[in-house]
Amino acid sequence: MKLLAIPPSLNIRFVTVLLLAMGLSTPGIGEITSLDSGNIDDILNNAGVALVNFYADWCRFSQMLHPIFEEASNVVREEFPNTKQVVFARVDCDQHSDIAQRYRITKYPTLKLFRNGMMMKREYRGQRSVVAIADFIRQQQVDPVKEIHSLEEINALDRSKRNIIAYFETKDSEHYHTYEKVANILRDDCTFLGAFGTVSESERFSGDNIIFKPVGESAPDMIYLSSLNNFDLSFAWAQDKCVPLVREITFENGEELTEEGIPFLILFHVKEDTESLEKFQHEVARQLISEKGSINFLHADCDKFRHPLLHIQKTPADCPVIAIDSFRHMYVFSNFKDIEFPGMLRQFVLDLHSGKLHREFHHGPDPTDITPGQEDTAGEVASSPPESSFQKLQPSETRYTILKRERDEL
């Protein structure tokens, strides 16, 4: 029996249809904007939402993502035809290493989300598929401000979350547009609500206003006192309220926190032990506010993070415990109760920055720190500090696959 020969063009068409069904290819040319140092600021600043693919041509995962990214762009463009509402863009990091360095791109491909030119903390880490990427963009288009229809709803707010409530005469105002822009950027950190017209009238005795309701039933409200039209002032105020000085680290946000690239000062505490957490928060604010940009202040559930505790020869029974993870080694604070002694917690952090903690682990106490009767041990070499545990929450070498990577536990 003679077999029919299939023309090469039909072979290609069949493969294309098959790949499309799998979400791995796209017909035509996707609407992807190539960014360079000359156009990046203009394009991102004028985009409501921009999803940017930072890639390298030699990376096979980058090559696999290209057709998926293009097809997702086509799908999204059909739903959101306004070219400034949603932008899909890409950066060749080999050709534009200055841009890669600017946004701290170290692995390829990396998908970063921008709003009005501002890069969001949380990059896209979902499945590398057309459906998942399109769904992610749809979620970004959901109104970040929940409208209040009755002031009674405020009494039913979840006070375990940070809530910002705005009272406006109308939605069609510069005040509201500025508030909405702030809410879009901080939507993952706070709950934003808005009351309008007659619903908000009783709260607008001196005009439109915004208040912050902190966590806790008894926590007093805080009022925004600066210009409602000024985005920079509004954003700075809301960010200060929505992003706490001491954040909780979990397995879900650990990768994001490690990508900030600065060491951790961590309080390990039993979840129910709120008293120790409050003391830690108070002392961090009192002693370490000036170090905010050089170290992350975190708290962690002792039970969930047993493994890092074992690294420093502690168990949940020893909590509360304070430690520094430098992404190279871990160092333990002498005694939790010592945080209330003036300057001790601050000195612990300064000793990390100066290299003293690492030096003393290897070579014993510095000569000026030797206590009477300890002189004979000054020259002894101490044991090496425990290796970093939280470094393991950084993106793995196998992170960039078509399917979402399962998180390995510490």
Side-chain angles (χ1 to χ4, degrees), residues 182-240:
V182 171
N184 258 317
I185 294 171
L186 295 171
R187 61 167 66 202
D188 293 328
D189 301 297
C190 263
T191 299
F192 288 85
L193 305 103
F196 308 92
T198 56
V199 175
S200 66
E201 190 171 4
S202 63
E203 299 295 324
R204 289 186 288 105
F205 45 86
S206 59
D208 292 350
N209 66 90
I210 302 173
I211 67 166
F212 170 66
K213 287 187 173 294
V215 173
E217 294 292 339
S218 59
D221 294 347
M222 301 179 187
I223 302 174
Y224 175 66
L225 299 174
S226 299
S227 169
L228 294 172
N229 287 339
N230 190 307
F231 169 77
D232 291 334
L233 292 176
S234 299
F235 177 74
W237 179 83
Q239 185 182 45
D240 180 64

Side-chain angles (χ1 to χ4, degrees), residues 53-56 91-100 105 108:
N53 174 17
F54 293 88
Y55 72 95
V91 175
D92 184 335
C93 293
D94 281 340
Q95 296 294 320
H96 304 288
S97 58
D98 56 328
I99 297 178
I105 306 301
Y108 313 109

Side-chain angles (χ1 to χ4, degrees), residues 153-193:
E153 294 177 32
I154 296 174
N155 297 325
L157 287 178
D158 182 355
R159 295 304 297 270
S160 67
K161 297 180 179 179
R162 295 172 177 81
N163 298 283
I164 292 184
I165 308 171
Y167 301 98
F168 297 116
E169 183 178 358
T170 174
K171 271 190 176 184
D172 187 21
S173 67
E174 189 63 30
H175 288 175
Y176 176 70
H177 294 321
T178 301
Y179 179 69
E180 185 180 38
K181 188 176 176 181
V182 171
N184 258 317
I185 294 171
L186 295 171
R187 61 167 66 202
D188 293 328
D189 301 297
C190 263
T191 299
F192 288 85
L193 305 103

Side-chain angles (χ1 to χ4, degrees), residues 15-17 19-21 23-32 65-75 130:
V15 171
T16 301
V17 171
L19 290 176
L20 272 174
L24 297 178
S25 187
T26 178
I29 300 174
E31 296 183 35
I32 310 297
L65 181 60
H66 284 320
I68 296 171
F69 197 65
E70 290 179 355
E71 177 62 15
S73 172
N74 287 336
V75 171
V130 172

Side-chain angles (χ1 to χ4, degrees), residues 287-321:
Q287 300 184 40
L288 292 168
I289 191 68
S290 63
E291 299 297 318
K292 184 177 180 181
S294 63
I295 192 164
N296 265 325
F297 309 117
L298 307 171
H299 67 100
D301 185 328
C302 274
D303 189 56
K304 289 182 179 179
F305 287 92
R306 287 172 175 265
H307 189 76
L309 284 173
L310 288 175
H311 266 229
I312 55 177
Q313 299 180 339
K314 302 288 184 180
T315 70
D318 297 310
C319 290
V321 172

Side-chain angles (χ1 to χ4, degrees), residues 107-121:
K107 290 182 181 289
Y108 313 109
T110 292
L111 297 181
K112 292 281 190 180
L113 182 72
F114 292 77
R115 286 187 176 278
N116 303 110
M118 187 176 293
M119 186 177 73
M120 300 295 96
K121 292 186 301 181

Side-chain angles (χ1 to χ4, degrees), residues 319-334:
C319 290
V321 172
I322 295 174
I324 285 176
D325 191 306
S326 69
F327 297 149
R328 183 179 178 186
H329 295 296
M330 293 187 71
Y331 308 95
V332 184
F333 186 66
S334 56

